[in-house]
Amino acid sequence: MGTFINYYWKHSSSGLSMFQAWQGIRSLTNSIRLYPVQRLVCVKATTTRMCSGYQQANVVILHKSLADDFEAFCHANPSPLPLLYRSQPGEWGCPPLAADADIRVDCPQYCVFKDGLLVSRVSSLMSYSGQLQDMVSFYLGCSFSFERTLREAGVPVRNVEQNCNVSMFRTSLQCRGVGQFQCPMVVTMRPVPEEQLDIVVQVTHLTPLAHGGPIHIGDPAVLGIQDVSRPEYGDPVAPGPGDVPAFWACGVTGMEAVQSCKPPLAFTHSPGCMFLTDREDSSISASTSTPEPDQCPLTFSISQQPLHYSVASKAVVQSIRDLEKIIGEDPGERGIRALFVQDELLRSCLSLSHSSSVLITTGFPTHYTHNPPEETDGPPGAFAIAATLQALQKEVAIVTDHRALEMNQRIMEDAVKKGVIKTAVPLLSYQGNSPDSALHFLCHDGDLKKPRFDHLVAIERSGRASDGNYYNMRGVNIKHLVDPIDDLFTTASTIPGISTTGIGDGGNELGMGKVKEAVREHMPNGSLIACDVAADFAITAGVSNWGGYGMACALYILSLCPIHQRYLHKGLGQPHPPTQDQHQAWAASLPSVAKEEEMLSILVQHGVRSGKTGTLGMEVDGLTFHPTHSDLIIKLRNRTSQRK
């Protein structure tokens, strides 16, 4: 490689390309059997801009006794360690990647490890030729390979602009271990203009052998990175105005693997000083064609505190938008479309997909002259959400008014007996007895860094108006029947890492403060009843239960999206489709006509009435279960089944 640098510098004025120089020096050294001259490169002389359009490779060289385990480690972690070639012991070349290669001299700089410790950086491994006879070389994909494609797509590559190495960070994410190889994943960080995130994920998704798409976009702390100005490897890279940090899995993970294994002797490339191949980057031609919707990722902001984006395929996005349209049907002619904000269902479900513990609240005591005063809209949707979250292995709890706790416990018991939900969900109450009650309810010991829940969902839950009261759609104040669960949502808005969703059908529901101006303008009694408490996501539906059904179906669809699942799991582990048992459990959790009819029957048995009419019968918001609600459930299930 040093000879190559000298050769290139000598001939660059004549218009010789970097790759032509590389090929020329290979031919030269091969024909005259000369060892490369002393290298004129240092750790700053990276290969980030060399041989643009050709694949580059990370290199790990280990004793042959460790080779099988390391290969298995690569297959278990294909995003950071995409295996391009495994050599035979003592094989200097790699015919599939480059003609006349010699791994002893073909990287600008190498790291030498003894017992897992980095002992030196050298420009040649020729002096180790004897030991290398019993060693195996692994060539792993590199993200430098897609930088040209990004530039051709009009995306600025900041490390190239700043003439420095890319930033590389050790994360808190543990790779899937194999044998003695147990280590955290290393990532590269590239600042990307927010408006170009879709282009970036689409271009890099096409390069699985160069680490594929980003494994995280947003706050570095999510990966355990505390300071992006102090990378463990490479150089700090300054963001441009409006840039968002995007992180890719990195082959320097191989260095971490070597250090974890502690072999007597091992070698890797020096970070940024890659092996240059003769193989063209296949993503260049692929990026000029329009990808199929299942293979076209799109990005969506799901949190500002902390900054967090998620990814799903274009096909899945369209499916969830179709669900959103179905739940927005308005047979009761309430004018709910005036409150609609596109993609709130999608963004909420993306956020929920990333969550591990969810708190759900429901209960609207609109019938203040009856006992119980609750209505049939809300609990069925809440149970549908909880059932699917349970199936997806997330912790779920429901918080309700203290006066209704015993009734809801009986409803829960009946729902489990009747098969509406598989496992009973813990039921909680909150009364806000002190100024810091909400904080202590949401966080362990009131510590902002230890939240009990990472997402709150309110569905058809009475919400506080601007005057501090709670109103039903007729403008009657029902504050005396409502516990201040709104405080949990207002407090959650101050706690990084907790997101909130509100589902409603009239604008007086908790969370609908996000669209309160539209409520005041378009809904009957809007200026009085409009909820003043906003959620991060406000999902409007013709009937709130339908919003819960749509959320359950959207979560199921996301669970079947390989692009989303890879991103959700940060590119760790070999991506696999769900097992038959998983798929059956997820499908069984979805709302069905039979389950929702049973749920409504349970509510009626406990004296819960239809919201609009007060009827104690099989209706919700004045609409009979058959055919209105049953037909809508069938529509949702039919659209959901198309994604299997």
Side-chain angles (χ1 to χ4, degrees), residues 255-268:
M255 289 184 62
E256 295 288 328
V258 166
Q259 293 174 80
S260 74
C261 181
K262 298 180 173 58
L265 181 66
F267 309 98
T268 71

Side-chain angles (χ1 to χ4, degrees), residues 200-201 204-205 211-217 246-249 311 566-567:
V200 168
V201 297
T204 58
H205 173 69
H211 305 301
I215 57 96
H216 175 63
I217 304 169
F247 298 86
W248 282 262
V311 176
R566 176 188 178 274
Y567 185 85

Side-chain angles (χ1 to χ4, degrees), residues 257-316:
V258 166
Q259 293 174 80
S260 74
C261 181
K262 298 180 173 58
L265 181 66
F267 309 98
T268 71
H269 71 292
S270 188
C273 301
M274 320 306 294
F275 176 85
L276 304 177
T277 79
D278 300 346
R279 182 189 287 180
E280 290 191 36
D281 178 11
S282 60
S283 71
I284 295 174
S285 59
S287 67
T288 61
S289 61
T290 303
E292 292 295 319
D294 278 331
Q295 294 299 317
C296 182
L298 297 174
T299 59
F300 295 88
S301 171
I302 60 172
S303 172
Q304 291 300 309
Q305 286 292 334
L307 184 65
H308 196 187
Y309 293 76
S310 191
V311 176
S313 74
K314 185 177 182 179
V316 161

Side-chain angles (χ1 to χ4, degrees), residues 46 73 116 187 276 332 335 344 347 373 399 493 540:
T46 67
F73 183 66
V187 295
L276 304 177
E344 292 292 272
R347 294 176 192 273
V399 60
S493 68
T540 53

